[in-house]
Each structure stands twice: as C-alpha cells, then as structure tokens.
Amino acid sequence: MESHHPATAAPDPHLVPPILAARLSVFRSCFTAPVWNRVLVLVAGAVLAPGQRTVTQVLRVMGLADDQHFRRYHEVLSRARWDARAVARRLLLYIIERLLPAGEVVIGIDDTIERRWGAQIKARGIYRDPVRSSKGHFVKTSGLRWLSLMVAVPIPWAGRTWALPFLTILAPSARWSQTHAKRHKTLTTWAKLAKVPLVKPLECQRRGVRRSCKPDAGCPSAALSLLPTAVLPHSTCCQVFGTMSV
C-alpha cells in the first residue's frame, strides 16, 4: 500500500551511493522511512553480490553479516507492508519515460519455472519443462511457476528490442488450488488481472489484442480472441495483450 512520508532519514552514504538513492527516489513514496533505507541497502547489495542474490548474500557483501538487526532486512520481503503492484506501476512508467517517451507500448507476458525445494516452499507444482521438452518429447519439472510481465523497448546501444520485466506474479498449479480450497486462476486469468491496474495509467487509445507465440512454446491455448501481433526477438513465448499510443 502506498504511503507518503516527507520526513525521511537519509541513507548511509557509506553503504548506499548517493547516485543510486537518487535514481531510485521515484519509488520512495511506496515505502515507509525505515523500510525504504533497507530497500536501498538490498538493491545496492544485489548489484554487487556474486552468485545467488539472497538476502544473506546481500548483507554479507554490504558488510552487514553481523548486524544485530539483520532480520529486519529479511522482513522487507516477508512482513513489511508495501504494495508490489504500486512499485511495478512506478517501474513501468519510469522505463517508458526513459526509453520509450513516444510511440506504441507493447506489454508481453511469459511464464517461467523456478526450481526450489524446502519445507517453506508451499506453492510448488509439476509443470511442463519448456527447455527440455519438444513437440515429441514431454518432460516434467517441479517448482514454482511465475508469470513475468515485460515491456518491449528499443535499446540503442544493443541495436535490438529488449523485453524488460517490471512485475512477476506467482501462479500456482490447479492441484495446489484444489488442495487449499482456492479458486484456480489460469495464466490468462492472471494476465487479465494484472493488466488493468498496471496499464491504466498509460491508456490513451486501446486497440484489439491477440496472441503471438511459437507453436511449441507451451503457451496457454485460451485467449486467442483476447490476445496487433508482435513477436519479441529471442522470446520463446510472448503473449501481447496491450498496445497503446502514448
């Protein structure tokens, strides 16, 4: 939930470079003052951390491994109250303002499987492995399924269009929903739910949408009528569900 706190303690310049704090200031109103300073530390550590960017590794890189309040940094991602969609909306607008100030905005979605195990991983499911599977060979994999929302922007120094992610949503399996007595939502349903609050700030003229993806990419078979056609370079699966003029 967004909150506005004009009185904010300045982040430690020895931990967080002032230029990083200035670049991220667009997200400041989404967090309380204590949480915001920890967010800056986590972002700075994630940039510097080699290998897996866990909170523990981030704190180690930032020299806070022995900090007596280390659990507060873990709570930023577990217990602290902030609205991920509000942050995602700010990030989307920030990307478009910097890299796509005019023209059409193309939003795409893609699902990915995160292979994780453990007693605290509750929403694991069994899915088709898009990397090891083919038309004639079906391979299963276990893990968490995430739906990633991306905006397609031209990158001048790369000479191509990149799909930059701005939000990921956990999309549990039908079996998990049934076991926990919850209404199951398909990937297409999750895409619809995420589209309205995120795309609304951009809307000027809406056009019809339809889907474009490779036939063996494992895309949901629904929403052909829901989902102008666009194929993002090097993308195995892209559902384009929003094209607008801004």
Side-chain angles (χ1 to χ4, degrees):
M1 186 171 294
E2 288 193 32
S3 56
H4 300 272
H5 298 266
T8 305
D12 187 346
H14 298 290
L15 285 177
V16 180
I19 188 173
L20 177 61
R23 290 287 187 180
L24 297 179
S25 61
V26 65
F27 307 106
R28 170 62 192 90
S29 62
C30 298
F31 303 91
T32 62
V35 173
W36 173 243
N37 287 332
R38 297 185 189 109
V39 167
L40 292 177
V41 172
L42 292 177
V43 172
V47 174
L48 298 174
Q52 293 186 343
R53 294 176 175 86
T54 61
V55 175
T56 301
Q57 179 69 1
V58 165
L59 294 179
R60 185 178 296 115
V61 169
M62 298 298 290
L64 299 173
D66 299 324
D67 191 302
Q68 59 180 342
H69 301 297
F70 72 92
R71 66 183 181 87
R72 296 294 187 183
Y73 292 93
H74 289 270
E75 290 174 353
V76 170
L77 302 178
S78 60
R79 300 184 63 181
R81 298 187 63 181
W82 52 278
D83 189 348
R85 297 199 179 193
V87 176
R89 185 161 50 244
R90 295 287 180 89
L91 178 57
L92 174 61
L93 294 174
Y94 186 75
I95 292 174
I96 292 175
E97 177 186 349
R98 293 299 179 116
L99 298 176
L100 196 65
E104 292 182 339
V105 176
V106 178
I107 306 291
I109 66 171
D110 191 12
D111 64 301
T112 185
I113 308 300
E114 180 186 11
R115 295 165 179 82
R116 295 191 63 183
W117 295 265
Q120 301 300 319
I121 308 301
K122 304 295 185 181
R124 285 178 58 205
I126 299 176
Y127 308 99
R128 175 185 181 273
D129 190 323
V131 176
R132 295 183 293 171
S133 298
S134 62
K135 286 185 177 181
H137 184 59
F138 185 88
V139 179
K140 296 180 181 179
T141 187
S142 177
L144 300 174
R145 182 173 61 178
W146 295 90
L147 191 67
S148 179
L149 282 76
M150 302 158 286
V151 56
V153 295
I155 307 298
W157 61 86
R160 63 181 64 184
T161 297
W162 286 5
L164 303 182
F166 58 89
L167 176 66
T168 55
I169 302 172
L170 183 63
S173 65
R175 179 179 295 181
W176 183 91
S177 300
Q178 184 178 8
T179 303
H180 292 79
K182 295 182 178 294
R183 181 182 178 183
H184 176 62
K185 299 182 182 67
T186 63
L187 292 178
T188 302
T189 302
W190 281 115
K192 291 178 183 178
L193 293 175
K195 169 189 173 182
V196 176
L198 291 174
V199 175
K200 189 175 182 179
L202 300 174
E203 63 183 0
C204 289
Q205 295 180 355
R206 294 199 178 186
R207 304 177 182 179
V209 267
R210 59 182 179 273
R211 185 180 67 171
S212 173
C213 72
K214 292 184 179 180
D216 61 340
C219 296
S221 57
L224 280 173
S225 59
L226 165 72
L227 301 169
T229 298
V231 179
L232 302 184
H234 309 292
S235 175
T236 57
C237 173
C238 173
Q239 281 182 269
V240 178
F241 64 82
T243 303
M244 295 154 288
S245 299
V246 295

